[in-house]
């Protein structure tokens, strides 16, 4: 069974920075696209960033420049560096990955979410 475990969330003041991590574990043959999504209270889940296995990244225009996604393929881990954080960035951040299991079955996997609160 493949699992994604996020870490790095917490409380930060406006203008501050946080780095989220998400590690995939289990019987993994290959990890394809990995990404981050977020869901604020009362709102729909939205895309934050996606990174392909060869490092190509995609961001919504509204977040480009403040957030940076990266990955370590050897560790099946994806990171999200968040700078110049604003109160409206407060949300639960979810990791997502397209994984090929050791038996070559393809799965879409979600993490349990990590809370980021931006407040003074």
């Amino acid at each position: 069974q493949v699992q994604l475990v996020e870490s790095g969330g917490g409380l930060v003041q406006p203008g501050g920075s946080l780095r989220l991590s998400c590690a995939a574990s289990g019987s993994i043959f290959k990890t394809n696209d990995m990404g981050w999504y977020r869901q604020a209270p009362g709102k729909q889940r939205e895309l934050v960033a996606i990174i392909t296995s060869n490092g190509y990244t995609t961001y919504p225009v509204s977040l480009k420049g403040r957030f940076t996604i990266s990955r370590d393929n050897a560790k099946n881990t994806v990171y999200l560096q968040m700078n110049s954080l604003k109160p409206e960035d407060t949300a639960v951040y979810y990791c997502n990955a397209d994984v090929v299991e050791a038996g070559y079955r393809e799965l879409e996997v979600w993490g349990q979410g990590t809370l980021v609160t931006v407040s003074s």
Side-chain angles (χ1 to χ4, degrees):
Q1 184 177 0
V2 177
Q3 291 183 323
L4 299 179
V5 178
E6 299 124 332
S7 60
L11 174 64
V12 63
Q13 292 187 340
S17 298
L18 275 179
R19 188 190 193 213
L20 306 182
S21 299
C22 171
S25 63
S27 299
I28 298 171
F29 172 71
K30 181 184 177 184
T31 304
N32 293 323
D33 291 358
M34 301 185 81
W36 291 94
Y37 293 74
R38 68 184 184 184
Q39 187 166 18
K43 294 188 177 181
Q44 290 188 331
R45 191 173 296 190
E46 63 176 358
L47 171 68
V48 175
I50 292 176
I51 185 167
T52 66
S53 58
N54 58 10
Y56 183 78
T57 59
T58 301
Y59 304 90
V61 172
S62 59
L63 296 179
K64 201 167 185 178
R66 293 195 300 123
F67 289 16
T68 303
I69 190 171
S70 60
R71 65 189 287 169
D72 184 334
N73 288 334
K75 297 180 179 179
N76 287 320
T77 299
V78 63
Y79 306 96
L80 183 69
Q81 178 67 42
M82 303 184 292
N83 299 326
S84 302
L85 283 162
K86 306 175 182 180
E88 51 264 42
D89 294 318
T90 295
V92 177
Y93 285 70
Y94 295 92
C95 178
N96 173 272
D98 293 328
V99 175
V100 180
E101 288 185 315
Y104 306 114
R105 182 174 67 144
E106 296 188 34
L107 299 173
E108 181 184 24
V109 187
W110 288 89
Q112 80 285 356
T114 185
L115 177 63
V116 172
T117 303
V118 184
S119 175
S120 55

